[in-house]
Amino acid sequence: MSSTIEKFGENVFSMRVMREHLAEATVKSLEATIKIGKNLNAGVADEVAEAMKEWAIAKGATHFTHWFQPLTGSTAEKHDSFIIPDGEGSVVCKFSGAELIQGEPDASSFPSGGLRATFEARGYTGWDPSSPAFIKDNTLCIPTVFCGYHGEALDKKTPLLRSMKALNEQSCRLAKLFGIEVQQRAFATLGSEQEYFLVDEEYYNARLDLQQTGRTLFGSAPAKHQQLEDHYFGAIKTRVLAFMEDLDTELWRIGIPSKTRHNEVCPAQFEIAPFFQELNLAVDQSMMTMEVLRKTAERHGLVCLLHEKPYAGVNGSGKHNNWSLCGPDGKNWLSPGDNPHENAKFMTVICALIKAVDTHADLLRASVATAGNDHRLGANEAPPAIISVFLGDQLTDIVEQIEKGPANSSRQGGVIHLGVDTLPILPRGNTDRNRTSPFAFTGNKFEFRAVGSNQNPAGANVVLNTIVAEAFDEICTKLEADVAAGKAFNEALQKLLSGIIKKHKRILFNGDNYTDEWAAEAEKRGLPNVKKTLDALKAYTGSKAIELFRKYGVLSEKELHSRYEIYKEAYEKTIEIEANTALTMAKTMIIPAVMTAQAELAVSVKSIDAVGGTTVGAKASLKGMCAETEKLYKAVAALEKANGAEKQIAAMSKVRASVDALEKIVPEDFWPLPSYAEMMFMM
Ligand code: ADP
Ligand code: MG
């Protein structure tokens, strides 16, 4: 075996490691907590803490930290060393169960959206045993939730775990109806594909915009960029390959099963995808993947850009969210089955998703609303801001047959009898793909493509879990009543699903999602098309959302309001920082450079004139430059006065238009910024 592969998981306090280091009874008790969700036995914590500490120290760790995901969108950690002076000039190492289970970081510097009054600045971190501890930077990292004094969620993990609980409960109810034995907790699975750009650090250091905002505020696509599509899946450049190999090694060491790596459509754009995992772990690992991407790039003299749109005019980056449901029977419930009974359950789950996504398209849209993602969604690229579901031709055909309902009794009429007929064999894998759909069925999972590359994927999955739980709940309630009333199960189910399809089929769309025709058609169907973050976020505080999240115990009304405030503020701050960065660059870099270029050209023109040479073209060019510079001055003045995100965005785009026009006519030697061509191709 390759030594790299052998390193897989070496820095994870995994089940395998626990079995080696803990008593059998302790492992059993922990397993019950992890797999069934049983409360943790207090005595267990001390034993686990001791074993963790010994294991971590043997691996060179000196510190531990509660590692959590505050609402800033990134991760947080505060390191404490294991050492305690022994009074003899030496130290002993201690780590107690209490320290493992709970921490108390000062919460006042994390956003709470008004949830936490300043006199209650305390926040608590609590161990999440379902995500294993791992070592990075000689520090034992313990994944935790982060809550306020009264248990208010101040992080992304808490509602994720709550939503998984709701999904589990409703899945078990559905299992019961289908006569499926509950053997384990049902859970969502996630395979989160990560797109990113790489840029040479020298260019990065020369771009204030990249440093301050993560994206270029000026610059335009070079003549050749992605049109020829010769980068996608192309041979990977040596330097990039060295980076990718190092990246995989680092990810594997902390147990992240990265599986696929390739060039993306745009030059300098790449993708990494892991093998899918249980959702909570996959989210933690997605956050770690972003961190490892950045750090590994640094070691290779590169910078990893995780922004959704680092460059204008070429593709942006997303995080394709491959979501499925592992039922309480341990099987993938989005995988078509081998017999009529299994297929009836499969179609029920498909219909539940159709119902859920149509009912709460606004919430899915809200969950991916950020300043960076606005450049992708609703712009001319993948995917649009209109949420719709792609099922592919064959599954759509089946859905249509179910819709027609049992009234039509002959099979020739194209009617499927659920639980009786076998379904036509569905294509598995990647055959029937539609890459323009925001929410596509891909054989045994749904791929939600609207999540931004820089986002914590938790938010989108909280929405997904909860809306599916609600759909299951409503389906179960109806079926349970029908069965209690003595109706035949298959007929009751058929009728119910037919009704769901009738009501929600407007969300189904298999065509090209990028066209204007679809936008017009979607409007006719009454599907929301919310292009801007501030509008999209409003869904979080609507009465429909408040009731949904309250009912399933995922987020209280207060928690929802706080999230809305935090996301809105983050958006406004981001735009403000972009506006200020654009101003600084225009005033202190672009304008001075352009003025110098003009002055030099003016001197040349004058001296050529003096000897009687022709300067018609040169003068025209000089005048053109001067006119554009005047425009830029005006645009800068307008941006300085602009107040509020919307006005700032409009004013910035005028500044950018002038700067980009100047870049095309000012001699290269004078231009103070690396060009798109350099940044994308010189690596
Ligand atoms: P593509 O780029 O064509 O969309 P990839 O192979 O890059 O496909 O990514 C597919 C992702 O879906 C992988 O992360 C894979 O592990 C994940 N996946 C496969 N099966 C499931 C499942 N049952 N639940 C969640 N994710 C899954
Ligand atoms: Mg994909």
Side-chain angles (χ1 to χ4, degrees):
M1 209 195 300
S2 140
S3 59
T4 314
I5 291 178
E6 273 168 16
K7 286 184 183 152
F8 188 91
E10 69 175 9
N11 286 338
V12 185
F13 196 68
S14 60
M15 228 8 159
R16 182 180 55 79
V17 177
M18 282 192 243
R19 271 188 239 286
E20 279 166 26
H21 289 78
L22 292 166
E24 210 183 306
T26 313
V27 174
K28 276 232 166 78
S29 159
L30 252 184
E31 258 187 321
T33 304
I34 295 166
K35 294 205 175 130
I36 311 167
K38 263 198 173 167
N39 276 347
L40 190 77
N41 177 339
V44 166
D46 275 326
E47 209 191 315
V48 176
E50 183 62 24
M52 258 188 199
K53 180 199 76 184
E54 291 300 318
W55 169 81
I57 289 174
K59 293 214 162 271
T62 51
H63 289 68
F64 71 92
T65 184
H66 278 195
W67 180 79
F68 59 100
Q69 297 162 29
L71 294 167
T72 52
S74 48
T75 57
E77 50 194 79
K78 182 192 98 190
H79 300 182
D80 277 300
S81 74
F82 291 117
I83 64 159
I84 291 175
D86 67 355
E88 301 269 311
S90 205
V91 290
V92 289
C93 288
K94 290 229 161 97
F95 182 52
S96 68
E99 284 171 306
L100 165 65
I101 289 182
Q102 201 183 69
E104 197 182 327
D106 180 6
S108 58
S109 300
F110 293 106
S112 83
L115 261 188
R116 190 200 48 233
T118 36
F119 60 86
E120 267 178 19
R122 272 179 302 179
Y124 294 90
T125 49
W127 180 34
D128 167 19
S130 64
S131 181
F134 57 92
I135 298 171
K136 72 166 172 107
D137 307 330
N138 293 329
T139 301
L140 172 69
C141 298
I142 300 149
T144 56
V145 294
F146 178 47
C147 295
Y149 185 64
H150 301 290
E152 321 85 299
L154 296 175
D155 70 343
K156 305 256 182 182
K157 191 192 264 283
T158 303
L160 186 73
L161 293 175
R162 292 175 183 164
S163 72
M164 290 190 73
K165 189 162 172 268
L167 183 62
N168 172 38
E169 279 165 15
Q170 301 304 330
S171 302
C172 290
R173 240 176 111 195
L174 197 61
K176 212 171 151 204
L177 274 164
F178 279 90
I180 294 167
E181 196 195 338
V182 173
Q183 292 164 340
Q184 59 171 67
R185 198 165 54 93
F187 53 84
T189 49
L190 171 68
S192 177
E193 299 164 54
Q194 175 77 52
E195 291 176 326
Y196 61 93
F197 280 83
L198 290 175
V199 63
D200 191 288
E201 73 180 354
E202 238 179 81
Y203 295 132
Y204 176 87
N205 290 337
R207 299 274 324 204
L208 187 67
D209 45 6
L210 281 184
Q211 292 173 40
Q212 293 274 302
T213 72
R215 74 181 181 101
T216 56
L217 299 172
F218 304 123
S220 38
K224 171 187 184 287
H225 46 99
Q226 64 184 50
Q227 309 93 320
L228 302 179
E229 303 193 331
D230 52 357
H231 189 252
Y232 191 60
F233 281 16
I236 300 169
K237 282 186 185 166
T238 316
R239 183 178 184 191
V240 174
L241 194 60
F243 155 81
M244 285 179 170
E245 278 170 0
D246 199 6
L247 174 68
D248 276 336
T249 309
E250 289 306 315
L251 292 173
W252 289 352
R253 292 177 74 193
I254 52 170
I256 299 178
S258 61
K259 180 117 180 104
T260 310
R261 57 189 191 199
H262 62 79
N263 286 350
E264 260 303 327
V265 177
C266 178
Q269 193 190 23
F270 310 91
E271 180 185 297
I272 181 161
F275 191 87
F276 71 94
Q277 307 247 48
E278 186 261 348
L279 174 60
N280 177 41
L281 176 59
V283 168
D284 286 354
Q285 294 194 335
S286 166
M287 296 308 287
M288 272 314 298
T289 299
M290 294 201 280
E291 183 176 323
V292 176
L293 271 164
R294 286 197 203 93
K295 282 188 180 161
T296 309
E298 232 171 76
R299 281 203 303 276
H300 289 258
L302 297 162
V303 176
C304 177
L305 305 175
L306 289 165
H307 193 282
E308 283 78 10
K309 194 80 173 178
Y311 302 106
V314 299
N315 274 11
S317 299
K319 199 176 242 153
H320 293 175
N321 193 92
N322 293 276
W323 184 97
S324 192
L325 174 61
C326 177
D329 51 357
K331 289 188 181 164
N332 180 355
W333 276 16
L334 278 172
S335 213
D338 298 326
N339 59 61
H341 187 67
E342 274 183 15
N343 281 326
K345 185 205 69 207
F346 167 70
M347 287 315 302
T348 307
V349 179
I350 292 284
C351 289
L353 268 137
I354 293 172
K355 173 179 158 76
V357 175
D358 185 40
T359 309
H360 299 292
D362 58 339
L363 279 176
L364 281 171
R365 173 65 186 91
S367 75
V368 296
T370 66
N373 221 15
D374 270 6
H375 297 284
R376 295 172 68 223
L377 310 175
N380 254 339
E381 66 166 87
I386 308 164
I387 305 286
S388 64
V389 175
F390 167 86
L391 291 182
D393 291 341
Q394 270 147 303
L395 191 52
T396 304
D397 188 46
I398 297 169
V399 162
E400 279 166 0
Q401 292 183 41
I402 293 172
E403 184 197 351
K404 285 184 203 158
N408 213 338
S409 61
S410 81
R411 187 75 210 275
Q412 285 103 315
V415 170
I416 283 171
H417 297 87
L418 281 174
V420 181
D421 292 340
T422 10
L423 298 185
I425 298 199
L426 288 166
R428 296 190 190 199
N430 290 352
T431 43
D432 190 12
R433 301 301 286 268
N434 176 331
R435 298 206 170 259
T436 69
S437 175
F439 202 88
F441 183 68
T442 53
N444 59 0
K445 60 190 184 292
F446 275 96
E447 182 171 3
F448 183 36
R449 299 203 179 98
V451 182
S453 51
N454 209 9
Q455 276 193 289
N456 182 324
N461 290 291
V462 166
V463 171
L464 258 171
N465 292 344
T466 313
I467 65 179
V468 173
E470 182 194 55
F472 280 1
D473 181 10
E474 290 176 13
I475 288 171
C476 289
T477 303
K478 180 79 179 74
L479 286 176
E480 283 160 0
D482 283 350
V483 170
K487 290 191 186 146
F489 180 75
N490 284 339
E491 273 153 42
L493 178 67
Q494 185 111 23
K495 197 163 165 218
L496 178 62
L497 297 193
S498 164
I500 288 175
I501 296 163
K502 277 199 182 82
K503 184 164 171 201
H504 297 289
K505 66 179 176 189
R506 64 171 189 167
I507 198 77
L508 301 178
F509 181 62
N510 287 345
D512 183 349
N513 285 254
Y514 299 164
T515 61
D516 296 335
E517 290 77 34
W518 167 233
E521 165 70 18
E523 198 181 336
K524 256 193 252 156
R525 295 190 192 181
L527 299 178
N529 182 2
V530 188
K531 295 200 169 151
K532 303 220 174 94
T533 288
L534 290 182
D535 297 323
L537 287 175
K538 287 178 188 151
Y540 275 136
T541 53
S543 53
K544 182 168 66 76
I546 290 171
E547 178 51 21
L548 169 81
F549 289 117
R550 183 204 60 75
K551 186 165 180 196
Y552 297 98
V554 174
L555 287 164
S556 70
E557 182 170 353
K558 266 194 188 157
E559 287 170 331
L560 277 171
H561 274 285
S562 85
R563 264 151 225 261
Y564 171 75
E565 288 301 327
I566 291 165
Y567 299 154
K568 178 169 166 273
E569 203 181 300
Y571 174 85
E572 286 163 348
K573 278 186 187 160
T574 302
I575 304 297
E576 176 93 28
I577 291 167
E578 288 184 353
N580 287 333
T581 307
L583 277 174
T584 304
M585 288 173 75
K587 291 202 295 193
T588 68
M589 301 174 86
I590 310 289
I591 291 177
V594 174
M595 296 305 283
T596 314
Q598 284 169 2
E600 190 156 302
L601 186 52
V603 171
S604 302
V605 167
K606 213 171 161 191
S607 48
I608 295 167
D609 271 344
V611 297
T614 322
T615 52
V616 182
K619 274 182 186 149
S621 150
L622 180 56
K623 276 186 185 158
M625 231 187 275
C626 291
E628 199 57 64
T629 311
E630 281 308 302
K631 260 203 207 162
L632 177 55
Y633 269 115
K634 276 195 196 129
V636 163
L639 179 55
E640 264 170 339
K641 275 195 222 111
N643 252 325
E646 208 169 314
K647 287 190 182 132
Q648 283 167 336
I649 289 173
M652 260 193 286
S653 90
K654 289 204 171 139
V655 172
R656 178 172 201 149
S658 283
V659 172
D660 290 357
L662 283 164
E663 187 183 6
K664 291 199 175 88
I665 52 178
V666 169
E668 198 189 25
D669 294 355
F670 289 89
W671 199 251
L673 304 172
S675 70
Y676 270 26
E678 287 170 310
M679 289 188 284
M680 286 179 193
F681 290 100
M682 308 282 271
M683 215 162 14

